[in-house]
Amino acid sequence: NMKKSLLGLAVIVLIFGTSVTNALTISPARVEISADPGTTVSGVLTLMNEEGYEKVYYSSSQNFEAQGESGTPAFTSSNEGLASWINLSPSLSFTKGKGQEMKVPFTITVPKDADPGGYFAAIFFSTIPSVGKGDVSVGAKVGSLVLLHVNGNIKQDASILGFTTTDNSFFYTALPISFSYRFNNNGGDRINPTGSITIRDTVWITTTKLAANPTQGNILPGSVRKFTVTWGDDSTSVPTNFFEAVKYEWDNFALGFYSANLSLTYGADGSARATKWIFVFPWQLVIVMTIISIIILTLLVKGIKRYNLWVIKTAGKRYNH
């Protein structure tokens, strides 16, 4: 709904590290905690008021889940789940000078009947108070993600749903080539797949090895996330005419059949593999190189013929003398 979307947009900065909103800095941007059912665990957030004068901040918490396949969090109800287990002061007055830090403790009380697995929420601080129990006003705010792992026997179930090039093509004329794969997590906790995409040429020699999850992105339970990895320099300008294409293929050269081999590990002992075949043939560069080769060969043949004629002519003159 609209409220859920606005909340997601308001705190999208949470996934990019330590964030600053309304001159308030919070760290760490992500807290990871493990606990047993029926226990209470604690943590500390550090706030810094960059403005240097007194200001009141209001705290709140929201659960979050995956939104689409990009990994962007969507914030939901706080009336149950982890958000309702978090306890901290509802408001705090920041009176310290500019650049001074304030430690904000919080606790998480895990119910005795909590199922093992992953629980996810965010702790927010805003200059606007909550508009009701379990709600957060849509406005400028900053927060920290809280990732709770409740210990126990957790189901692990994940798989690669598809591995291909981003445009789903087989034929290319040059690098870069982007690969994408979709990873499905049907388990009970978030997973962080690690591994590589190994590129091998026609004779199975490794050409390059790419990190399969360079941003260390997590996949929440019951969600699918799409990852994209590029082979080659993707900052090169796309050619607009034949001769630019020739230079582009020269600067980003590749030729032949290649296999892209995706190999992932996740969780305690999970693994998954997939392969994609592609064919690279820089035909515009080949045309130019062929023409140049023909010209050079023609000139070389003519040169050899002229040299032979000169040798015969020179030998004939010597013989006559």
Side-chain angles (χ1 to χ4, degrees), residues 137-213:
S137 299
V138 176
K141 55 184 170 288
V142 64
S144 178
L145 300 181
V146 180
L147 312 178
L148 173 67
H149 174 90
V150 176
N151 300 322
N153 186 19
I154 300 173
K155 173 187 175 184
Q156 180 175 285
D157 181 13
S159 61
I160 299 171
L161 294 184
F163 176 49
T164 185
T165 52
T166 52
D167 57 0
N168 203 29
S169 296
F170 170 73
F171 174 78
Y172 293 89
T173 60
L175 304 180
I177 299 172
S178 292
F179 299 93
S180 65
Y181 66 93
R182 299 171 65 243
F183 206 74
N184 180 38
N185 181 11
N186 282 323
D189 198 0
R190 65 188 174 93
I191 57 175
N192 179 262
T194 60
S196 62
I197 298 176
T198 303
I199 310 295
R200 294 188 175 95
D201 61 17
T202 307
V203 294
W204 212 242
I205 296 175
T206 299
T207 300
T208 188
K209 184 173 286 189
L210 310 168
N213 185 5

Side-chain angles (χ1 to χ4, degrees), residues 237-246 248 284:
S237 300
V238 177
T240 57
N241 57 56
F242 180 83
F243 292 104
E244 285 185 2
V246 170
Y248 182 87
Q284 290 154 304

Side-chain angles (χ1 to χ4, degrees), residues 37-39 110-115:
T39 61
V110 183
K112 293 181 180 180
D113 59 352
D115 293 328

Side-chain angles (χ1 to χ4, degrees), residues 20-294:
V20 179
T21 301
N22 266 14
L24 177 69
T25 304
I26 183 172
S27 63
R30 184 172 71 179
V31 178
E32 300 186 28
I33 300 178
S34 295
D36 294 323
T39 61
T40 297
V41 291
S42 60
V44 177
L45 298 175
T46 301
L47 302 183
M48 181 182 292
N49 183 2
E50 301 288 355
E51 294 184 346
Y53 56 85
E54 182 173 357
K55 190 171 254 185
V56 176
Y57 289 96
Y58 300 91
S59 65
S60 56
S61 57
Q62 292 282 111
N63 295 315
F64 73 85
E65 59 188 27
Q67 178 174 270
E69 298 184 1
S70 65
T72 302
F75 295 90
T76 61
S77 169
S78 60
N79 295 322
E80 57 184 5
L82 177 55
S84 65
W85 306 343
I86 296 174
N87 301 285
L88 73 166
S89 175
S91 65
L92 55 96
S93 179
F94 213 139
T95 58
K96 295 185 178 182
K98 183 175 182 180
Q100 295 297 307
E101 296 179 346
M102 175 181 289
K103 302 295 183 181
V104 181
F106 67 91
T107 61
I108 300 174
T109 302
V110 183
K112 293 181 180 180
D113 59 352
D115 293 328
Y119 297 82
F120 316 99
I123 296 174
F124 295 119
F125 294 93
S126 172
T127 56
I128 304 173
S130 300
V131 296
K133 183 176 177 56
D135 293 325
V136 177
S137 299
V138 176
K141 55 184 170 288
V142 64
S144 178
L145 300 181
V146 180
L147 312 178
L148 173 67
H149 174 90
V150 176
N151 300 322
N153 186 19
I154 300 173
K155 173 187 175 184
Q156 180 175 285
D157 181 13
S159 61
I160 299 171
L161 294 184
F163 176 49
T164 185
T165 52
T166 52
D167 57 0
N168 203 29
S169 296
F170 170 73
F171 174 78
Y172 293 89
T173 60
L175 304 180
I177 299 172
S178 292
F179 299 93
S180 65
Y181 66 93
R182 299 171 65 243
F183 206 74
N184 180 38
N185 181 11
N186 282 323
D189 198 0
R190 65 188 174 93
I191 57 175
N192 179 262
T194 60
S196 62
I197 298 176
T198 303
I199 310 295
R200 294 188 175 95
D201 61 17
T202 307
V203 294
W204 212 242
I205 296 175
T206 299
T207 300
T208 188
K209 184 173 286 189
L210 310 168
N213 185 5
T215 61
Q216 295 297 303
N218 290 295
I219 308 170
L220 300 185
S223 68
V224 176
R225 184 163 180 175
K226 184 177 181 179
F227 297 85
T228 300
V229 180
T230 300
W231 174 28
D233 182 8
D234 57 359
S235 64
T236 309
S237 300
V238 177
T240 57
N241 57 56
F242 180 83
F243 292 104
E244 285 185 2
V246 170
K247 184 179 184 304
Y248 182 87
E249 292 170 1
W250 176 265
D251 293 337
N252 303 275
F253 183 79
L255 176 64
F257 286 98
Y258 293 89
S259 65
N261 305 278
L262 173 64
S263 178
L264 298 173
T265 58
Y266 58 91
D269 55 4
S271 64
R273 297 176 181 273
T275 299
K276 167 67 177 178
W277 285 88
I278 57 174
F279 180 64
V280 184
F281 185 74
W283 64 270
Q284 290 154 304
L285 175 62
V286 169
I287 289 175
V288 172
M289 296 302 292
T290 301
I291 293 173
I292 293 175
S293 298
I294 291 173

